[in-house]
Amino acid sequence: MFGGTTSDYAMEQVGNQLLLRPGVSGAVWDAVTGGTQLTDLTDTSGLPITVVVAASDGSVAFYGPDDVTTVYVDFGLGRRYAMVASDIAAIVSARVAGVAAAAADDASAKAAAAEASAISAAADSTAALYLPNAITTIDSIINPATPVAPVYFAHRGGGMVRPEHTLVAYRAAAAMRYPLEISVNVDASGELWCLHDPTLDRTTNRTGNLNGYTTEEIGQQIQTNSRSLLGAGWAEQRLVPLRQVLDEFLGKVPILLEPKANDAVVPTQQLLDASYPHAPRSVIWKAHIGTLSLPWAKARGYRTWVYLDAGTSDSTMDGKDSMVDYWGVNTTFTDTRISQVVARGKPVFAWAVYRRSQVARLTGLGVVGIMASDPRYVSTSAPMRTASRWDLQIKEPGCTPTIDYDPDYALQFAPTPDVGWVSIPAVPFQSVGLGTYCPVAAGAGGYRLSFDMKFKVLPSSTLHGGIYFGKQSDDPYRFSQSNATGGYHLVMRANGQMQLNKHTAGSTSGTTMGSAIATTAPTADGVMSFQVNVTPTTVEVRRTDGTGWTTGALADTTYRGGYFGLSNGSITDVATRPYWRNLVVTQL
């Protein structure tokens, strides 16, 4: 309804006077200027009209279109007059009533939605007490995993490149978005600490069971002893309480959490129940197939990863299957057994992986989760550097001994006065792959490997050390052993004889290429320098600390893989092992 009040009259301004204009006709518009003419009108009796006609006393009253509350009437008197619906209060009231009625009709659905929203908001709010960043759920990272694009976990925080189960390890892995695998044990005070073994012997500067020490003793006196595995350049680390790790990382990356010893199970469960009710969103309960803890985990909504022994029977797995979300297999399992576990239809994660060749094998069998002790290396396929920094005495990613997590097989950094030199303390026939430089990025003319080598103590005259190269994969190489992939082996004997061997996959013996080259016999602690040149059509080895010591460019294209490493060759006495320094990879 427009008009009908004491203010609604058709008038014309003449000088300083407003004069009534009875009977005048006016067009109705939706704007003060321009706009669209409104013709969907009726008079006060309900008869349709297209224009408004002022009454005999000049008054104006009419009904406008639905949902229009402001119009502009042009009586041809020089301006348009704005009119606001006179029953707008009733219109607003009716609309509010309609909205209220609709809300009431929809009340139960809205209440359910509001309840779900409130629960979600409460969970986020609770989590925010502990998490400075947004929550990352298990599903967001693990659900998309496939054998083609597996998810990589930091096994023990990445224990082959950082002190295992330490804050520095967890922080480095989390910064690269790798989910964390965390083991815990309990001390004499009931505090949970991140530690793989129930004892301190292997990984710390103390001995005995962790549960024989109080929280204060552990916090003040116990440190890692990782230098023998990772290099003297590492600063030893304090052990870290589980509570500190959860407060820092929970929700940022998924966590595979396992209480290792039986006495740590209940304290871990109590801590999660009391302080981390939102943990099931980002924590996977990790346990051995023999565990009795799965009902507790499933009752609280935790996903479970259950790892197997090589001899675990199918019937044992059947008995736990309903409470298992992910199965775990070891890299030592046969292809057949891993395939059988994959065929059960649940995601399978494998441990512990530190070679790219292991990833290729496992994903080829259908594994979707890689628990890697060196996740940065195994999850990528490019070299990280072209020149060694062994003077820093810090183990590089991709440094692959024949056995992982064992200082006796790890690359060893020499102390003063030999800083910059490295060696392999295990014999016989041991080697260490140098994956951080691999696969070698060859130029159009191939590539060159340059390095120095020496024997601090001379071995028997015919014994030798050197390097291997040209392998298609980073699987282990061992002299005089059957290897999975073939390659070349530079041999430097203590009598000065230098030769190049070709080692075929599956064979226990190599084949000399060309002829052995007589060079000056090395002296104890005397430095020798070498170049290995690999072109698209030839292979050549040179000893460059003398003149003319070369095999010559031997025509051979058998092996052009990009993986290489250091080899103790035939050395049988660790005291006479070779040392290397100043490795440089150059494109030709």
Side-chain angles (χ1 to χ4, degrees), residues 3-356:
T5 74
T6 56
S7 300
D8 298 314
Y9 287 83
M11 293 180 289
E12 180 181 9
Q13 183 176 355
V14 179
N16 292 328
Q17 301 183 70
L18 290 175
L19 303 178
L20 293 174
R21 292 291 183 255
V24 67
S25 296
V28 180
W29 298 84
D30 62 1
V32 68
T33 59
T36 301
Q37 183 178 350
L38 304 176
T39 58
D40 182 16
L41 313 172
T42 70
D43 62 18
T44 54
S45 65
L47 293 176
I49 57 176
T50 58
V51 294
V52 175
V53 179
S56 58
D57 60 356
S59 62
V60 177
F62 64 95
Y63 288 96
D66 292 341
D67 297 322
V68 175
T69 56
T70 301
V71 297
Y72 302 86
V73 184
D74 188 348
F75 290 109
L77 303 176
R79 68 177 64 186
R80 294 180 185 179
Y81 293 89
M83 300 184 70
V84 177
S86 57
D87 58 351
I88 191 168
I91 293 173
V92 171
S93 177
R95 290 181 180 177
V96 170
V99 170
D105 293 341
D106 197 32
S108 59
K110 282 186 167 59
E115 180 182 18
S117 177
I119 292 172
S120 177
D124 289 345
S125 177
T126 302
L129 296 174
Y130 304 96
L131 305 176
N133 294 328
I135 291 176
T136 301
T137 65
I138 296 167
D139 290 344
S140 68
I141 288 183
I142 295 179
N143 280 4
T146 67
V148 176
V151 59
Y152 292 88
F153 301 85
H155 186 254
R156 305 183 192 177
M160 280 288 283
V161 285
R162 297 177 285 273
E164 66 178 69
H165 290 307
T166 60
L167 201 55
V168 68
Y170 296 147
R171 282 174 174 166
M176 292 183 279
R177 302 286 294 161
Y178 296 117
L180 305 177
E181 187 262 348
I182 297 175
S183 302
V184 294
N185 279 289
V186 67
D187 68 17
S189 306
E191 183 76 34
L192 292 158
W193 295 85
C194 298
L195 185 70
H196 179 272
D197 303 351
T199 69
L200 299 168
D201 302 43
R202 181 179 64 86
T203 59
T204 80
N205 61 341
R206 298 288 179 174
T207 61
N209 292 334
L210 180 75
N211 61 17
Y213 291 80
T214 67
T215 298
E216 293 72 26
E217 291 166 345
I218 295 169
Q220 299 304 314
Q221 290 294 315
I222 296 178
Q223 289 185 311
T224 58
N225 63 349
S226 62
R227 290 175 177 169
S228 58
L229 178 68
L230 303 177
W234 269 100
E236 297 297 3
Q237 306 294 311
R238 296 288 186 187
L239 300 191
V240 57
L242 175 61
R243 185 185 292 273
Q244 182 178 356
V245 172
L246 292 177
D247 285 350
E248 182 166 343
F249 299 106
L250 188 64
K252 295 180 182 177
V253 291
I255 294 173
L256 275 77
L257 180 60
E258 180 187 18
K260 296 297 289 188
N262 289 337
D263 61 349
V265 174
V266 171
T268 303
Q269 294 171 338
Q270 291 174 337
L271 175 64
L272 293 173
D273 282 344
S275 300
Y276 304 96
H278 52 294
R281 300 180 66 181
S282 54
V283 169
I284 299 172
W285 186 256
K286 174 179 176 253
H288 180 260
I289 185 67
T291 185
L292 300 178
S293 65
L294 297 182
W296 172 90
K298 299 310 295 181
R300 286 155 178 78
Y302 285 96
R303 307 295 176 83
T304 59
W305 181 71
V306 175
Y307 58 97
L308 311 173
D309 297 320
T312 301
S313 67
D314 288 339
S315 60
T316 300
M317 295 177 68
D318 292 341
K320 297 288 180 70
D321 189 80
S322 64
M323 293 182 289
V324 174
D325 294 290
Y326 318 107
W327 290 113
V329 296
N330 193 277
T331 55
T332 61
F333 288 11
T334 66
D335 288 4
T336 298
R337 186 53 179 152
I338 294 175
S339 297
Q340 290 171 345
V341 177
V342 169
R344 297 179 71 94
K346 291 185 176 179
V348 175
F349 307 160
W351 91 97
V353 177
Y354 73 113
R355 296 180 185 270
R356 291 170 178 167

Side-chain angles (χ1 to χ4, degrees), residues 470-553:
K471 284 173 65 69
Q472 195 65 39
S473 165
D474 68 351
D475 59 272
Y477 171 83
R478 295 186 64 184
F479 173 76
S480 192
Q481 306 294 307
S482 175
N483 299 303
T485 57
Y488 303 105
H489 183 183
L490 181 159
V491 168
M492 185 65 211
R493 301 186 191 279
N495 61 10
Q497 191 179 68
M498 180 179 72
Q499 67 188 61
L500 179 62
N501 288 352
K502 181 160 58 176
H503 205 128
T504 304
S507 175
T508 58
S509 60
T511 303
T512 300
M513 300 173 60
S515 59
I517 306 301
T519 70
T520 298
T523 58
D525 214 29
V527 178
M528 300 174 285
S529 299
F530 297 89
Q531 284 183 356
V532 174
N533 296 323
V534 181
T535 75
T537 58
T538 65
V539 182
E540 179 183 13
V541 171
R542 301 173 181 173
R543 181 175 167 188
T544 57
D545 56 306
T547 303
W549 294 338
T550 175
T551 61

